[in-house]
């Protein structure tokens, strides 16, 4: 009755968590394409119909469990601290550093790959770029057209994930993090603060 | 017998062409996801098994019929003519102009979307970036690390296609071609000729 009083069916919460944990692991380690509602259900020890019942389609499951590898509420204030002329450098260091780690990189790859064909994942990318990370940074920098600036930063970032990790262009896949930061920092700086 | 002398089975050539024409139209107008071997076969008036026999899988069919919306053999020399300090502007104008046209834009969108999940399409994007368009341009500009420069230009370009057209970030979807050229030109210039 206590469960019902909080609007949940008995047992729901534990099962959902098992499914979410299995889904996070599979999207990260297998990627969006190879993970399936069935394989997630199997790992969680539940019936596939239950996964469908709670979460709907595979892209809806991705959206439900995907967490950005960085928390914008923490990261945006850190990025905005310090010299405005070095915001591009701080942003490039953050993104290249995050993408240099296995688990966050896989998570970003899953989201970008899914966004190419799934409207729900595309909406996550739009929100990440416009509302959560680049948008709030651009809005605080006192330059014209902050939405366009945020979108340009986002376009280079999703392009980097696609070209470096998904498509795997050799020269970009092999470059050191340090050199990639040097190449990208002035571009992010231009997009964020220089005349467009 | 004349057909056989040229190493073809009778009738093959006409049928392949019908299939190729139908596939090109469908990939361009429906996109990679909504086109299917079956729908292509239906439009070409042949059995789906024949499409599979000639072309294999759907991504293999895409690769067989996809033509770049620009011919690099024509475009690369044109890009290289003129002031080296304006190569970024010429490249931005070309790409934004091509993407401003319905049919070439759809073709680029099909290829980029497919590249996010299909190895054959990813290979097309790699070849387009490294060997056909950006690679040959970068190689002629007398700057260090031409492969990395080409890959960086490619990353911004696939990111633009993804962010502006596939994901559809509003500020980037709505911007004028002229303003987009102004924003991108200095970035392509930096990637191609300035210290990395």
């Amino acid at each position: 009755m206590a469960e019902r009083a909080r609007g949940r069916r008995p047992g729901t919460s534990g099962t959902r968590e098992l499914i979410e944990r299995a889904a996070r692991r599979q999207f990260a380690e297998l990627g969006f394409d190879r993970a399936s509602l069935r394989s997630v259900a199997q790992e969680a020890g539940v019936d596939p119909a239950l996964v469908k019942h709670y979460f709907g389609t595979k892209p809806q499951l991705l959206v439900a469990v995907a967490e950005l590898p960085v928390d914008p509420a923490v990261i945006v204030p850190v990025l905005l601290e310090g010299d405005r002329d070095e915001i591009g450098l701080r942003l490039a260091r953050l993104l290249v550093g995050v993408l240099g780690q296995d688990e966050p990189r896989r998570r970003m790859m899953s989201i970008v790959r899914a966004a190419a064909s799934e409207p729900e994942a595309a909406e996550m990318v739009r929100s990440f770029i416009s509302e959560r990370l680049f948008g709030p940074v651009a809005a605080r920098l006192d330059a014209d057209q902050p939405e366009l600036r945020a979108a340009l930063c986002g376009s280079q970032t999703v392009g980097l994930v696609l070209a470096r990790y998904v498509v795997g262009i050799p020269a970009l896949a092999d470059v050191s993090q340090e050199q990639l930061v040097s190449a990208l920092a002035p571009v992010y700086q231009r997009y964020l603060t220089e005349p467009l």
Side-chain angles (χ1 to χ4, degrees), chain A residues 116-169:
Chain A
S117 53
E118 305 296 339
E120 293 89 343
E123 178 52 39
M124 281 189 69
V125 171
R126 262 196 300 277
S127 149
F128 178 52
I129 291 174
S130 304
E131 290 154 32
R132 303 194 61 199
L133 182 60
F134 301 109
V137 169
R140 294 281 299 277
L141 289 173
D142 234 357
D144 62 339
Q145 307 184 80
E147 294 88 0
L148 178 59
R149 294 174 181 280
L152 287 164
C153 290
S155 76
Q156 176 59 86
T157 307
V158 295
L160 177 69
V161 173
L162 199 65
R164 188 173 198 207
Y165 300 113
V166 179
V167 169
I169 299 171

Side-chain angles (χ1 to χ4, degrees), chain A residues 57-174:
Chain A
T57 62
K58 185 165 76 162
Q60 287 168 338
L61 178 61
L62 174 71
V63 171
V65 304
E67 284 158 13
L68 287 174
V70 291
D71 180 353
V74 175
I75 274 312
V76 169
V78 173
L79 284 171
L80 288 167
E81 260 170 42
D83 191 344
R84 185 177 182 271
D85 293 343
E86 294 195 337
I87 179 72
L89 180 61
R90 293 194 296 275
L91 187 56
R93 272 193 189 134
L94 169 76
L95 293 170
V96 171
V98 166
L99 288 167
Q101 299 164 53
D102 287 347
E103 207 278 322
R105 175 174 61 245
R106 286 197 209 105
R107 216 185 287 179
M108 292 284 284
M109 286 173 64
S110 300
I111 298 171
V112 169
R113 292 174 74 177
S117 53
E118 305 296 339
E120 293 89 343
E123 178 52 39
M124 281 189 69
V125 171
R126 262 196 300 277
S127 149
F128 178 52
I129 291 174
S130 304
E131 290 154 32
R132 303 194 61 199
L133 182 60
F134 301 109
V137 169
R140 294 281 299 277
L141 289 173
D142 234 357
D144 62 339
Q145 307 184 80
E147 294 88 0
L148 178 59
R149 294 174 181 280
L152 287 164
C153 290
S155 76
Q156 176 59 86
T157 307
V158 295
L160 177 69
V161 173
L162 199 65
R164 188 173 198 207
Y165 300 113
V166 179
V167 169
I169 299 171
L172 201 51
D174 297 343

